[in-house]
Amino acid sequence: MSGRQHRETEIARRIRAKGLAAGRTSAQIADEIHEACAAGFGTSRIKAHRLAHGIALADVIEQVRALFERDNKAMPGIGETLLSAYESGLKRPGPEYLHYLCTVYRVEPAALGYDPPCICGHGHRMPGVVAAAEAKERPQRPQERELVLRPVETDPEDEEDENILRRTLLNSLQADANLTDLEGPVLGACESIRRRMDETLVSSTVSAAMLDQWEESTVSFGRQYTTTAPLRLLCDVLLELSAVRTAMSQRQPIDLQERLCRMAAQLSGLAGMIMINLGDQRLARSFFRTGRTAADETGDRALRAWIGARESLVPLYFGDAREALTLAKKSRDMAGSTPCPAQAMAPVVEARALAMMSNGESKKEIVDQAKRALARARNAFTHLRPEDQEDVAFGYTEKQLYFYQGDVLTKLGQTIEAEVVLDQALEKYEDHILDQTLIRLDQAQCRLIDGDVQEAVAIATKALNLVSDEYLTDLIVRPALALERAIISRDATVPGLDGFSAALRRTKQPELKGGDG
């Protein structure tokens, strides 16, 4: 123990002794210790309570472990190092650890220097004699008052929009549901939720507040991006975004503002990604704009760059290669030299945009530029954190790198290299049917470029037949229609073309009306 720590402990010991002699409670003694030591030693409120109890770090840890055991929970990972970090302010306890620390010290979160409420929803102070004695000793301080939980008021518009999304979600879960298009009420609900989030971000100075499980839900939605039908996932994401907006509309502790804004940025970005898959570029751009506003509040360049890279896919998929190139370069500049997903993603979009601008002509200058961009992307990918290399939504994965590299080479007419890379990409995609289909359409394009029209038709037809109606969105239909036109220009009588056209247009048939139920 250093001399500074020794003096702090000696002062606390004297205050505790005098307090006990005077009949004060541990909470009152902790307040006196904090008042006496905070200025000179930086003593935090949570540390003052341990000193008021006259116990060591190890004693607190044992009590927390005993409480976990009492509640039939697995032994916690908390140790003296982590508790010391809490006391020094380097870290803050999560909701569960905070609950048990409050239980050990028999106080509410505010008494330990943290924002209420506790996740348990009730008080931690001992009833009866102790509480009565403390009440007589002195007036209650604000942080010691009984916790009153008030329900968050919701806007009627919020409820109506959320109900529309819930009904859509329930319909999409039906076994025979065929929901592929965004209908008017659903579009209106999506836009309303996004607009109100914009209003909250721009017009208020609220801090952020949210439970740890909200962040876990956001990560979970990112994982589901590759396995869940777009419209179904969109409903879940926007219901969560609506809940976040409701929390942000109330004044919250400022130290949690970044967490809530980060959540808003990620959810808005994910909604924009899903809107791309559903073929609505207007709403996709709107959600990315909302995501930018939220990301700007965090001051996180990597997050802002991720939003920008994802937004660049809107003009890329909807035919404006030059704008896609501009947005991708802005994202790359925003990322700077910090290793992050956008560093790998943005150069790939640059390469794809350059390939689109080549119009299938293998001009050496454009080919060289595109391949240099791909090389930058591969180099950036090697510097990503392992968790970012496994996150298909908020990170950038190896299979995405293979897929988009194959797409670039296909558009550049480099079919030999493209087919090798596309085969590797298809092997890596086991769950994301949208990308599997786009890969197979690129393979068909390669065969068409090489002159094997019948094989191109066969590959493309198989690709579309593997896609269920709920996944046959504009993201798939656009390149498939372009491929059909290219096939017809080569050979309008090729065997199998009718089957390909029928598979492509099956969602245009009358059975779509069943999706309303």
Side-chain angles (χ1 to χ4, degrees):
M1 180 184 295
S2 67
R4 181 183 177 86
Q5 290 174 315
H6 182 75
R7 290 194 300 275
E8 177 190 34
T9 303
E10 284 299 314
I11 293 172
R13 184 179 291 121
R14 287 196 296 271
I15 293 173
R16 179 172 181 270
K18 291 180 180 179
L20 291 174
R24 296 189 179 91
T25 65
S26 295
Q28 291 173 326
I29 295 171
D31 283 342
E32 292 180 16
I33 291 174
H34 180 261
E35 290 173 5
C37 298
F41 305 101
T43 307
S44 62
R45 289 191 177 276
I46 187 172
K47 185 175 183 179
H49 277 272
R50 180 173 63 80
L51 295 174
H53 282 262
I55 56 179
L57 291 167
D59 297 315
V60 180
I61 298 303
E62 288 304 320
Q63 289 187 47
V64 170
R65 288 173 177 167
L67 290 169
F68 267 77
E69 185 176 1
R70 179 200 67 185
D71 294 343
N72 296 317
K73 294 184 177 181
M75 282 296 99
I78 188 172
E80 293 184 34
T81 302
L82 184 57
L83 182 56
S84 179
Y86 295 159
E87 292 187 351
S88 64
L90 294 176
K91 291 187 177 181
R92 56 178 297 117
E96 188 173 45
Y97 283 167
L98 179 58
H99 163 67
Y100 282 106
L101 289 171
C102 287
T103 304
V104 168
Y105 295 129
R106 299 190 181 99
V107 293
E108 303 311 318
L112 299 181
Y114 302 110
D115 300 307
C118 181
I119 58 171
C120 66
H122 57 74
H124 294 273
R125 300 172 65 199
M126 295 294 288
V129 178
V130 173
E134 184 178 349
K136 285 182 179 181
E137 183 69 24
R138 60 179 173 84
Q140 277 187 321
R141 297 190 178 190
Q143 66 265 28
E144 295 174 347
R145 292 172 185 157
E146 289 300 321
L147 180 64
V148 178
L149 295 178
R150 297 182 176 86
V152 177
E153 295 182 4
T154 58
D155 190 310
E157 291 186 13
D158 282 343
E159 293 182 359
E160 178 59 28
D161 292 333
E162 290 177 10
N163 286 338
I164 290 173
L165 292 173
R166 288 189 181 98
R167 286 195 295 270
T168 304
L169 179 59
L170 287 173
N171 287 338
S172 74
L173 293 173
Q174 295 177 4
D176 58 348
N178 187 20
L179 297 175
T180 59
D181 294 332
L182 287 171
E183 299 175 347
V186 181
L187 280 170
C190 294
E191 174 63 18
S192 294
I193 289 175
R194 186 205 63 77
R195 175 178 50 78
R196 285 196 294 277
M197 172 57 80
D198 264 352
E199 291 171 354
T200 300
L201 287 166
V202 173
S203 65
S204 70
T205 57
V206 297
S207 304
M210 66 177 302
L211 302 174
D212 285 349
Q213 47 264 45
W214 284 15
E215 292 173 329
E216 293 170 4
S217 295
T218 301
V219 174
S220 175
F221 291 147
R223 289 195 295 265
Q224 294 174 49
Y225 176 68
T226 64
T227 58
T228 305
L231 186 55
R232 188 182 308 169
L233 182 58
L234 178 67
C235 293
D236 284 331
V237 168
L238 291 187
L239 287 171
E240 194 80 2
L241 183 64
S242 185
V244 170
R245 193 203 68 82
T246 299
M248 292 179 70
S249 67
Q250 308 293 321
R251 183 158 293 279
Q252 306 290 354
I254 196 160
D255 59 325
L256 295 181
Q257 181 176 0
E258 183 180 341
R259 289 175 67 187
L260 198 58
C261 286
R262 175 177 295 276
M263 171 89 59
Q266 290 178 321
L267 289 172
S268 297
L270 190 54
M273 292 159 59
I274 298 170
M275 285 298 180
I276 291 176
N277 292 345
L278 289 170
D280 194 314
Q281 61 170 314
R282 185 189 68 81
L283 269 176
R285 286 178 180 274
S286 296
F287 274 111
F288 286 126
R289 185 172 63 246
T290 298
R292 286 203 310 271
T293 305
D296 286 343
E297 291 294 314
T298 69
D300 187 337
R301 293 173 64 92
L303 179 61
R304 179 65 179 78
W306 174 79
I307 292 284
R310 284 293 182 181
E311 184 179 5
S312 67
L313 294 176
V314 178
L316 185 76
Y317 284 132
F318 292 96
D320 192 340
R322 292 191 180 280
E323 185 186 3
L325 183 62
T326 299
L327 290 176
K329 288 181 177 179
K330 287 182 179 179
S331 171
R332 186 186 66 189
D333 292 341
M334 177 65 70
S337 59
T338 304
C340 63
Q343 270 198 330
M345 190 185 310
V348 170
V349 178
E350 290 181 51
R352 296 176 75 188
L354 287 167
M356 287 177 62
M357 291 163 61
S358 72
N359 294 320
E361 298 180 13
S362 297
K363 296 180 180 178
K364 186 177 185 305
E365 181 182 357
I366 292 181
V367 171
D368 288 345
Q369 286 184 49
K371 288 190 173 182
R372 283 197 298 270
L374 289 177
R376 288 198 302 272
R378 287 192 295 268
N379 180 62
F381 177 80
T382 62
H383 293 90
L384 292 182
R385 299 177 304 169
E387 54 265 38
D388 287 333
Q389 293 179 347
E390 297 172 1
D391 192 333
V392 72
F394 304 119
Y396 206 65
T397 65
E398 187 179 31
K399 61 184 179 183
Q400 288 173 301
L401 193 58
Y402 274 108
F403 166 31
Y404 298 128
Q405 182 178 345
D407 182 66
V408 170
L409 293 171
T410 299
K411 287 181 171 58
L412 290 174
Q414 312 268 301
T415 58
I416 296 177
E417 291 181 70
E419 289 192 347
V420 172
V421 176
L422 290 171
D423 285 340
Q424 292 174 319
L426 198 56
E427 288 178 4
K428 294 179 178 294
Y429 274 92
E430 299 176 355
D431 51 7
H432 196 186
I433 188 62
L434 287 175
D435 282 346
Q436 286 181 32
T437 306
L438 291 172
I439 291 170
R440 291 188 173 98
L441 291 176
D442 274 343
Q443 289 178 323
Q445 182 69 37
C446 284
R447 298 300 173 86
L448 181 63
I449 292 172
D450 289 340
D452 193 343
V453 183
Q454 188 169 345
E455 182 63 13
V457 171
I459 293 173
T461 305
K462 178 182 177 181
L464 294 184
N465 286 334
L466 288 173
V467 183
S468 62
D469 289 350
E470 61 183 347
Y471 286 100
L472 195 58
T473 65
D474 199 54
L475 184 69
I476 300 296
V477 171
R478 278 177 174 268
L481 284 171
L483 180 62
E484 182 189 47
R485 289 193 294 270
I487 290 171
I488 291 173
S489 67
R490 285 288 190 92
D491 185 354
T493 62
V494 62
L497 181 58
D498 290 343
F500 173 57
S501 298
L504 175 58
R505 289 171 174 77
R506 66 179 186 264
T507 57
K508 305 299 182 184
Q509 297 174 358
E511 65 261 22
L512 252 185
K513 63 184 180 183
D516 294 337

